[in-house]
Amino acid sequence: MLFSHDGIHDSQTHLASPSYFYEQLEREISLGARTRKPVALVKILFENPETDQVRAHDILYFSYELTRLTRKEECVGRLGINEVVIILRDGHSNAEQFVQRLLDSTSLTVDNSLQIKISKVYGEENEDSLELLNRLDQVEPIYR
């Protein structure tokens, strides 16, 4: 993955770079602790079940459609070739609806060529970003 000159965006998808994403996650965790409205993280893994690799145009199309399904205030980070994580403010009131919107969307699957796996977690009191991300990795995903 290459990143833009500003270091904030992935140059291929224009999603948040990992370093910028982690910085935003720390901010949102702090904000959630102050407002008593913890964040939620939603992880999406996408893969082509017929091949071992996701094609570049699939990544671009997926990223574009995901951007259309998210709000400006939600930070969408590309953390791997085929992995994105979204930070949702006030997670308890927003995460369920957001995940359902993703599951209902037919555009994310790129004409049914991609399989989508979605996981979500809610921030807990006094939890840091690493603990939250580790819990996210342990959650059993929902398949679409």
Side-chain angles (χ1 to χ4, degrees):
M1 291 186 306
L2 297 174
F3 303 106
S4 64
H5 292 292
D6 63 9
I8 294 175
H9 298 98
D10 170 88
S11 62
Q12 183 181 30
T13 63
H14 304 290
L15 300 177
S17 69
S19 58
Y20 181 73
F21 176 86
Y22 297 132
E23 185 179 307
Q24 290 302 113
L25 179 56
E26 291 290 338
R27 286 184 181 146
E28 292 298 332
I29 287 172
S30 294
L31 177 64
R34 287 192 306 275
T35 61
R36 301 219 187 272
K37 295 179 179 178
V39 301
L41 295 182
V42 176
K43 177 170 69 172
I44 306 171
L45 293 171
F46 54 99
E47 56 191 27
N48 187 329
E50 295 181 16
T51 66
D52 289 338
Q53 295 183 358
V54 178
R55 299 170 297 199
H57 72 275
D58 291 340
I59 294 169
L60 292 174
Y61 185 87
F62 172 86
S63 300
Y64 173 77
E65 291 300 324
L66 182 59
T67 301
R68 289 180 29 156
L69 292 169
T70 56
R71 292 179 257 189
K72 295 284 184 200
E73 71 213 33
E74 297 162 347
C75 182
V76 181
R78 183 177 181 199
L79 304 186
I81 299 291
N82 63 334
E83 176 184 351
V84 296
V85 178
I86 301 110
I87 304 170
L88 300 171
R89 287 183 180 169
D90 194 4
H92 286 291
S93 67
N94 294 321
E96 289 297 325
Q97 292 172 345
F98 179 71
V99 168
Q100 193 58 52
R101 190 165 66 237
L102 295 175
L103 291 171
D104 290 343
S105 171
T106 57
S107 62
L108 283 180
T109 61
V110 188
D111 295 327
N112 294 316
S113 67
L114 297 180
Q115 182 181 46
I116 308 295
K117 299 176 191 175
I118 301 174
S119 307
K120 76 171 180 318
V121 293
Y122 300 100
E124 295 178 354
E125 192 171 334
N126 298 320
E127 185 175 43
D128 67 24
S129 59
L130 184 57
E131 293 168 323
L132 184 58
L133 288 165
N134 284 335
R135 278 196 313 112
L136 181 61
D137 287 340
Q138 302 303 316
V139 172
E140 189 67 32
I142 300 167
Y143 290 83
R144 177 167 192 316

